[in-house]
Structures are given as structure tokens and as C-alpha cells.
Amino acid sequence: MTKAPETEGTYLPSPPYQSTMLNIPNPLPQQEYRESRPTVENWLKSKIRNPKPKIKNYFISFFPFLTWIYRYNLSWFWGDLIAGLTVGAIVIPQSMAYAGLAKLAPQFGLYSSFVGVMIYWFFATSKDVSIGPVAVLSALTGTVLDDIHKMYPELELHVIASALAVLSGCVVCLLGILRLGFIVDFIPLPSLAAFMTGSALNIAMGQIPTLMGNNKLFDTRQSTYLVFINFWKYIKYCNLNAALGLTALFLLYFVRFVCTRAAQRYPTRAKMFFFINTLRTAFVILLYLLISFLINREHKSKPRTSLLGAVPRGFQNMGVPHIDKKLASALLEYLPSTVIVLLIEHIAIAKSFGRINNYIVDPNQEMIAIGVTNMFGPFFGAYPATGSFSRTAIKSKAGVRTPLAGLFSGMVIILAIYALTPVFYWVSQASLAAVIIHAVGDLIIEPSTLKQFWQVSPIEFLIFWAAVIVTIFSNIEDGIYVSIASSGALLLYRIAKARGQFVGRVQIHQIILTADNQIRSAIRNIYVPLDRSDGTNPRVIPISPGNGIFIYRIHEGFLYPNAAHYTEKMVNQIFSETRAGNASPYTNLGQQPWNLQTSRHPEKDNHLDDNRPRLHALILDFTGVPHLDITGLQNLVDVRRQLDVYADWKVSWHFVGLSNVWIKRALISAGFGSSDQGRTVFSVTQAPNEVDHENTREENTMILENMQSNNNASGTNPVLIPILDIDRPLFHADLDEAYEAAVASLSVRQTSADLTTSTTTSTTAS
């Protein structure tokens, strides 16, 4: 006989089943099963077994390009070349505009773009993401630079920005190395949408004065509502910049509208219209650069419109970033918000495009990629950078094939840094403001999505608006904290107030329509909430177990925040539907507990005609319970003791759906699962007598199917084996088995009670 591995338990031979009981044509041998309890030692061994390949794979995983670079081919090259050049043409005007949001000179945006695209591909697991300056992170960086520069005016702004990039990069990289990428999952979609929408409104409102030309009359970095008020207060001071800015903004939207409609009308030319639409930012910047030059060429000393100004050629700020204790301490309070923005923008974009293009993104490795980019970028003069949604979308649609496309974008940027800087002098600030407003406009959530938020979760809808309002009336940083804190509080509340449900049995006929239009019917039981809170048809009447048997379903982990909430509701319901085992536990007023809600005369509270059943068994459906902690287990122990006292006998506790061996171990340690009566109800299955554990899952499945289809004629000598450990009769495979076991034990208990009553009566009579 084959012995199963220790972790799966041990099969022991025992007498055969009776064919008459199991309704089997021929007697078959039986095998008993006893499950081995998990141990910490075995768990540790399973984790550290054969460590060399694991350590090797861990370090190799830091460089994902090693898995595809040797397969690089000409087809991939052309796709990457086109996508890389396209993104490079777009990122140049965008990066210079975003540098302004960060209160830095335009060249720092170019430096950040160059480093981002050149380094990222070494560590990337996403072919689509384009790293570089983005609007929201640039605006947040600008706020940080403002605050730090006020405290330490001797520090240059780009020095502070470089230090912020290094520190935030180190934090993010460390999170990736420690494989803590899952923490991003704690930021829900409404929080992300609120952060993006509030930031977009903040940035757009801050750029409108630049677009209109009255930005020098007030502080455009105040709260959004103050900028809005001041803009209208100084509207009369708008100048020629408004003509350039408004027309540039109109042209950007007009080109996108025309190209989108044209691509729909002429699908054969959709690719051409896509590239025209994609490069509209570069076209508009070049057009208004020419217009700006014509307007200001005779007024270079005193330009008639706001110009970008001189941009130095080459990397003028290369060097080791300056970080001392004073600067690091000052930046410490801004690190959480900076890290959050770095993560949620990049990881959300990478996962989204991974799903769209059907490949897997590793959040841990993406954290390392962002971290390394921001750690080494400041050596070239870069400031904090992360994934850009707009450039990523363009890169994806342009047909990118691998992360190597970033190299071609970097070539375009390096060309701009060394060859095009004299031209940048004439770039209109108003047109750059139009580019920023146009870019962040796409970050504002659509009304249809808001409607969906309301339909799915009104509470999260309110959290969304709370975060947006805080961003408008305070700043982006506070909006981030409010959205995440509110979502976290909601998550904790939902865990702490998780609801359990008493369920009843419904017999259903499952109708099956076969391919040859034949109808077959299968009868089975399902268990639905007795209060029909799951939307069950109100005409369906669930059958309550009755006879002092209760089935209670738990939907979340049974943990310290919610354990008491679960059991309080359960116990209250049991008390209301059953009677106490001892009708007169207190013979006089002095024996009553002080907090018992009753009269001064205990004998008057006894109801001789109380027809409610006495509590017999409690069935807990743990199918939805992934974890049980010490507090939750102690809560079960306390309730078991309470119910035993209340019923005046030992209440049976049955458990269903224990999918975690550590939950079983915890329950067994507290005395659950065992019964003096042994297992009276079995769930068994047919299996081959000899199981080869070297076989694959598919091979064993094929053996079982052949055995069943040939009706035991294949010579495999099938046997009936129990599903669960026979020494744990109160752990069950499903609710039907648990209910039948509870009913069976009730019969035994009633028989025992009748015998006791008969004996007592005989003794009294004698």
C-alpha cells in the first residue's frame, strides 16, 4: 500500500464498508485517513528547502531584461524605434513644462526625462511605461521646494529636488527589494481617482493665470480656490499671452477631435491619424515657437509675451547630489507623500497596461525600477520622476515591443539637450501652460465613472469627493492623506463590523439543457440566509435546522477586530430562539448576577409552557475564513463555555470549510473537532487503490476518469476513502454532512436523556 507524504497525512487499512449502507454493488476495501498536523519546523523546511536556486532566481529577478534581450530581433527593433522616437518627440516639450511646475529651470525636466528612459529598461517588467517628469509629482515637488527653500534659503532649488529624488528612490527601492509591492493594493480605485482628479484641478487652475498672462500679480501655488478667486480678481490684467495660450489650448483639443473622428471614419488610415494626434503637442509647440519668435524678435530685451528663456546646452548639473543631515531631516516629513505619488501613479499605470496588452507586471520589480531611476537620476541633475499615463498610452499605441524603446527616446532627448537648446529660448510660456492644462485634463474622472462609483459604493463615492474638496481647499499632499486615511478607516470598519448570517436549507432542482436539447434535472441542497439578505427570491422559504441546531456562516477572517462582533450577534440570536437548559438556575434573589435583567422574584420568570428547543449544536461555516488568530480562537472558547453553561450540557460545535491547515491546528489545540461519539457521518470518494505520487495532476485525473467510465473494469481496483480526518468527526466537508452529523448526535442525546429519565422515574417509584 502506498504511503502518502507526511504533510498530506497517513492512510491506514481498516475493515471494508458495508455495501448495503453505501449502496455499492460490490463490497470494496476501505482506507481510513488521519491528517498530519502542520508544524513550524516543517513549514520552515518547506521555505528553505533547496535555497541555492531560490537565491539565484531572487538576484536574477532584479534584471528582467536578461530573460528577453537574447531574443531581440529586427521586428522588435522597428516597433521599439517608432514608439521610442514618438515618445521622445512628446516628452521634450512636456518635460520642460513640468519642470516649471516643480519651480525648476527647463533643463532639469530634460535631464529627468533622459535618465528615466535610459535606466528604466534594465529593471522594467512593463514594455509600455515611460518614466520621466509628470504633472502631479512635479507639482508636489514644487510645493516641497517652496517649503524647504523658505527654511534654508541658502540651498538651491535643484539641490533640494535632487536630495528629494535620492531619498524617495531609496525608500521605494528598499520596498521592492523586501518584496513589499502588495502595499500598493491598499490604495483603492476611488482614492486613486480622487488624488488624480484633485491634483488635475489644482494644477490646471494654477496654470490658467500663466495661460492668460496675469500670473505675476499673485501666488499661483496657493490653494486652488484662492487661485481661482485671485484670477478673477486680476482678470483685467490679462495680456497678449492670453491670445497665444487660449488658441494653443483650442488647437490641441481641435486636432485631437479631428483625428479621432477621422480615424473612425477612415479606419484604413487610422495609423496615420494616430501619429498626427500623438504628435500634436510637438506641432503646437513648434507653431507657437515660431509665432513667439515673430512677435518678440525685435523685443528680446523686453519680450511682449512670456518666454521660456535661455536653456543651457548639455548636462550642466552633473555631480554627486548634496544631502546632509539638515536637509535630510527637513525632507523627512515630505517623503510619505512623495513615495505614495511615485508608487500609485507608476504601479497603477503599469498594471493597467499589463492587463490591456496581456502580460504580467511585477510590482516589486517596478518599485526597484522606480527607486533605481530616482537614486541615480540626480547624478545627472534629475528631480523625482515616475510613470507618465499619457506617454505610456502613446507608447503602447505606437506599437512598442520591448522596454528597450526607452533607448531611442533617450537619443531624441540627448539631441535636444545638445542641439536644440538655443531654439527653446523662444518657446511661449503660455503655450507650455496650454500643454500642461491639456495633459492634466485627461486625469479628471469622467461623469460615467462617478455614476458607477455611486452605484457600486456610495460611501466610497463620498470619500472621493471629500478628498477632492480637501485638495481644492488645501493642497495635493493633504488630499492624498485624506483619501488614503479615509479608505483605510473604511477598510478597518468593514473588517471590524463584518456580518455573519444564520442560514437555512433550500432544496433546488438544477435544470441542465444538454447539447442534444435533452433536459436533465439534478437535486441538491443549498444554504441561504434565513433573513434573505442576499437578495434571494422572497417566495423561497429557507428551512431552519430547528431542534436546537444553528448554522452560522462567517464571511471574513475570524480575527481580533471582528471576533466579538461575530459572536455577539450569534449568541443573542441563539438566546432568543432557545430555552436555557436549567429553567431555575437561581433559587433566590441573592444568587442572581447584578446585571441580569429580570424581576425581584426569579420563580415568576419561569415559563413552564416554553416550547423553544434546548440548544444542541452549532455549525460554523468557515468556508470564507482564511485566517484565525489567537484572539478569535479565545473568543470561540469563551463562547463555547458560555453556551455550555446556558444549555446545561455540552453543545456540539461543527466546523465546515476549513481550508487552512493552520486553522485546523488552532481549533484542535483548543479542543474543537473531537467527539466522544466518533464520526457517524462520512463523506467519501472513489479513488485508485494505489496512487503514484510521482504522476502529474493531469495523469492522476485521467486514471480516475478511466476508472469511473469503465465502471471498475480497468483493473485499477478502486476504493472508497474519506475526505477528511476520521479522528476529527466535527470537521466536515460541507454543510449537508455537518447537518446530518448534528441530527445524528441529537438522536443519540435524546435516547440518552430518555434512558436517564426512565432510570430516575424507576428509582423514585421504588
Side-chain angles (χ1 to χ4, degrees):
M1 183 176 296
T2 303
K3 184 178 179 181
E6 182 180 355
T7 55
E8 297 181 5
T10 307
Y11 293 104
L12 300 174
S14 66
Y17 282 106
Q18 296 295 324
S19 59
T20 54
M21 293 178 62
L22 295 175
N23 194 25
I24 297 175
N26 299 310
L28 296 174
Q30 175 198 3
Q31 291 181 340
E32 295 180 351
Y33 170 65
R34 288 181 173 85
E35 182 181 4
S36 299
R37 292 176 62 179
T39 64
V40 176
E41 180 183 359
N42 289 339
W43 180 83
L44 289 174
K45 287 181 178 179
S46 68
K47 295 298 180 182
I48 63 176
R49 184 182 295 125
N50 200 11
K52 289 184 179 180
K54 294 180 180 179
I55 296 173
K56 178 182 177 182
N57 292 334
Y58 173 75
F59 285 103
I60 290 178
S61 68
F62 290 161
F63 304 97
F65 78 94
L66 295 175
T67 62
W68 55 264
I69 193 65
Y70 62 89
R71 294 182 287 118
Y72 202 81
N73 54 70
L74 191 60
S75 176
W76 292 3
F77 169 79
W78 288 115
D80 289 345
L81 177 64
I82 294 172
L85 295 179
T86 303
V87 171
I90 297 166
V91 74
I92 292 171
Q94 279 192 350
S95 62
M96 293 191 295
Y98 294 156
L101 289 177
K103 299 207 70 177
L104 295 171
Q107 65 268 23
F108 292 100
L110 296 173
Y111 302 158
S112 298
S113 300
F114 172 76
V115 176
V117 296
M118 294 297 287
I119 292 180
Y120 174 68
W121 74 272
F122 282 99
F123 307 94
T125 60
S126 170
K127 69 180 179 64
D128 298 298
V129 170
S130 175
I131 285 189
V134 295
V136 178
L137 184 58
S138 296
L140 182 61
T141 301
T143 302
V144 175
L145 300 190
D146 260 347
D147 294 344
I148 301 298
H149 192 63
K150 289 176 183 177
M151 292 188 289
Y152 305 106
E154 70 277 7
L155 294 175
E156 295 184 78
L157 293 176
H158 70 87
V159 172
I160 303 172
S162 295
L164 179 64
V166 171
L167 293 177
S168 58
C170 289
V171 173
V172 174
C173 188
L174 180 62
L175 293 176
I177 291 174
L178 297 177
R179 296 299 189 250
L180 298 177
F182 66 89
I183 63 174
V184 181
D185 297 331
F186 284 93
I187 303 175
L189 179 59
S191 295
L192 179 61
F195 154 69
M196 300 301 286
T197 300
S199 300
L201 293 173
N202 180 286
I203 294 168
M205 192 63 242
Q207 289 301 303
I208 288 177
T210 304
L211 184 87
M212 302 297 290
N214 62 349
N215 57 303
K216 296 182 180 180
L217 300 175
F218 56 93
D219 184 6
T220 59
R221 290 189 172 275
Q222 293 177 307
S223 299
T224 306
Y225 79 101
L226 291 176
V227 176
F228 179 81
I229 292 172
N230 288 328
F231 169 74
W232 290 106
K233 183 178 179 181
Y234 297 100
I235 187 68
K236 61 182 179 180
Y237 296 103
C238 293
N239 50 37
L240 188 57
N241 287 290
L244 297 179
L246 289 175
T247 54
L249 185 61
F250 170 79
L251 190 57
L252 286 167
Y253 280 105
F254 179 75
V255 172
R256 185 171 72 174
F257 174 80
V258 170
C259 290
T260 303
R261 289 298 182 90
Q264 294 172 353
R265 188 169 182 179
Y266 305 103
T268 57
R269 300 182 179 179
K271 199 73 173 178
M272 179 188 69
F273 289 117
F274 162 74
F275 281 106
I276 295 175
N277 187 23
T278 296
L279 297 173
R280 67 186 182 278
T281 300
F283 293 155
V284 168
I285 290 295
L286 290 175
L287 173 63
Y288 281 85
L289 185 150
L290 176 61
I291 295 174
S292 177
F293 171 74
L294 295 175
I295 293 174
N296 297 291
R297 61 179 176 174
E298 302 294 338
H299 308 278
K300 190 173 183 179
S301 58
K302 192 175 181 181
R304 300 176 62 188
T305 60
S306 298
L307 300 177
L308 187 61
V311 177
R313 182 174 180 269
F315 292 94
Q316 299 294 322
N317 296 91
M318 289 186 68
V320 178
H322 169 76
I323 305 177
D324 55 19
K325 185 177 180 180
K326 178 180 66 175
L327 181 56
S329 300
L331 289 171
L332 194 60
E333 65 175 287
Y334 300 98
L335 278 181
S337 58
T338 306
V339 169
I340 289 172
V341 175
L342 279 172
L343 291 180
I344 61 178
E345 280 208 79
H346 182 95
I347 303 299
I349 292 169
K351 284 186 174 182
S352 175
F353 281 89
R355 288 189 292 266
I356 291 172
N357 295 313
N358 194 28
Y359 62 86
I360 298 175
V361 170
D362 182 359
N364 297 306
Q365 185 58 32
E366 290 299 313
M367 285 183 171
I368 294 174
I370 308 170
V372 172
T373 300
N374 283 282
M375 286 165 58
F376 287 95
F379 288 87
F380 293 83
Y383 71 93
T386 188
S388 165
F389 180 81
S390 60
R391 295 195 297 273
T392 299
I394 291 169
K395 189 177 177 183
S396 176
K397 291 180 180 178
V400 64
R401 302 300 300 274
T402 73
L404 196 64
L407 284 179
F408 304 110
S409 299
M411 293 177 186
V412 176
I413 298 169
I414 203 75
L415 176 66
I417 291 175
Y418 280 96
L420 301 180
T421 49
V423 180
F424 293 153
Y425 178 89
W426 302 100
V427 173
S428 168
Q429 290 275 23
S431 64
L432 286 180
V435 168
I436 294 174
I437 295 171
H438 181 65
V440 300
D442 294 333
L443 301 180
I444 299 175
I445 195 169
E446 296 180 355
S448 59
T449 306
L450 269 182
K451 181 180 178 182
Q452 187 179 18
F453 283 179
W454 173 256
Q455 292 173 341
V456 174
S457 177
I459 296 179
E460 291 183 283
F461 175 84
L462 296 177
I463 289 176
F464 167 85
W465 280 113
V468 171
I469 291 172
V470 168
T471 303
I472 292 173
F473 286 91
S474 182
N475 53 52
I476 294 175
E477 187 178 3
D478 291 342
I480 294 171
Y481 292 144
V482 167
S483 63
I484 294 178
S486 301
S487 298
L490 178 62
L491 174 64
L492 293 176
Y493 177 83
R494 285 173 170 170
I495 293 174
K497 297 297 181 180
R499 295 175 61 247
Q501 295 173 320
F502 286 95
V503 298
R505 183 169 55 180
V506 176
Q507 188 178 78
I508 66 169
H509 296 257
Q510 187 168 350
I511 307 301
I512 303 172
L513 182 62
T514 62
D516 54 354
N517 291 327
Q518 297 295 319
I519 297 178
R520 293 191 293 110
S521 176
I523 300 176
R524 61 188 179 92
N525 293 325
I526 64 171
Y527 290 80
V528 300
L530 294 174
D531 58 4
R532 302 183 185 87
S533 58
D534 62 343
T536 304
N537 190 332
R539 297 181 62 184
V540 174
I541 303 176
I543 300 175
S544 177
N547 297 317
I549 301 173
F550 293 86
I551 305 176
Y552 192 63
R553 177 174 292 160
I554 296 173
H555 300 284
E556 299 277 355
F558 203 84
L559 306 171
Y560 69 91
N562 57 25
H565 182 71
Y566 273 132
T567 53
E568 283 175 8
K569 177 186 176 182
M570 180 182 72
V571 170
N572 291 336
Q573 185 80 3
I574 290 173
F575 282 177
S576 67
E577 296 186 11
T578 60
R579 60 181 173 84
N582 186 354
S584 303
Y586 312 112
T587 57
N588 57 62
L589 190 63
Q591 293 181 350
Q592 290 183 358
W594 67 272
N595 60 340
L596 183 66
Q597 297 181 4
T598 183
S599 66
R600 289 179 55 82
H601 305 283
E603 66 279 359
K604 294 182 179 181
D605 293 329
N606 297 332
H607 301 284
L608 300 179
D609 58 345
D610 191 348
N611 295 322
R612 293 178 299 171
R614 191 173 169 186
L615 177 61
H616 165 64
L618 179 62
I619 302 172
L620 293 182
D621 186 356
F622 264 43
T623 305
V625 178
H627 301 289
L628 172 67
D629 64 8
I630 295 175
T631 306
L633 180 63
Q634 184 60 45
N635 190 275
L636 290 177
V637 172
D638 293 341
V639 172
R640 178 178 62 181
R641 187 182 302 113
Q642 179 186 12
L643 294 182
D644 286 349
V645 172
Y646 169 74
D648 200 26
W649 60 26
K650 187 175 181 180
V651 177
S652 299
W653 286 66
H654 300 259
F655 292 86
V656 175
L658 299 177
S659 58
N660 188 330
V661 294
W662 293 96
I663 294 181
K664 292 181 184 179
R665 168 180 153 137
L667 292 172
I668 291 170
S669 70
F672 292 102
S674 302
S675 172
D676 297 335
Q677 301 172 13
R679 186 178 286 276
T680 56
V681 179
F682 290 87
S683 288
V684 297
T685 186
Q686 205 173 42
N689 189 27
E690 298 291 337
V691 179
D692 187 355
H693 293 281
E694 298 297 327
N695 289 344
T696 64
R697 183 184 303 174
E698 291 75 12
E699 290 172 339
N700 284 328
T701 301
M702 187 177 299
I703 292 173
L704 185 60
E705 289 176 348
N706 291 336
M707 178 190 67
Q708 294 173 346
S709 62
N710 295 333
N711 195 21
N712 303 336
S714 60
T716 54
N717 192 22
V719 295
L720 291 176
I721 60 172
I723 302 293
L724 299 178
D725 188 341
I726 64 169
D727 289 338
R728 305 298 170 192
L730 301 186
F731 293 164
H732 303 281
D734 59 16
L735 287 174
D736 275 341
E737 179 191 318
Y739 175 70
E740 294 297 337
V743 171
S745 63
L746 177 63
S747 301
V748 174
R749 175 168 279 172
Q750 289 175 339
T751 302
S752 177
D754 291 342
L755 289 175
T756 302
T757 303
S758 175
T759 302
T760 303
T761 303
S762 300
T763 304
T764 304
S766 62

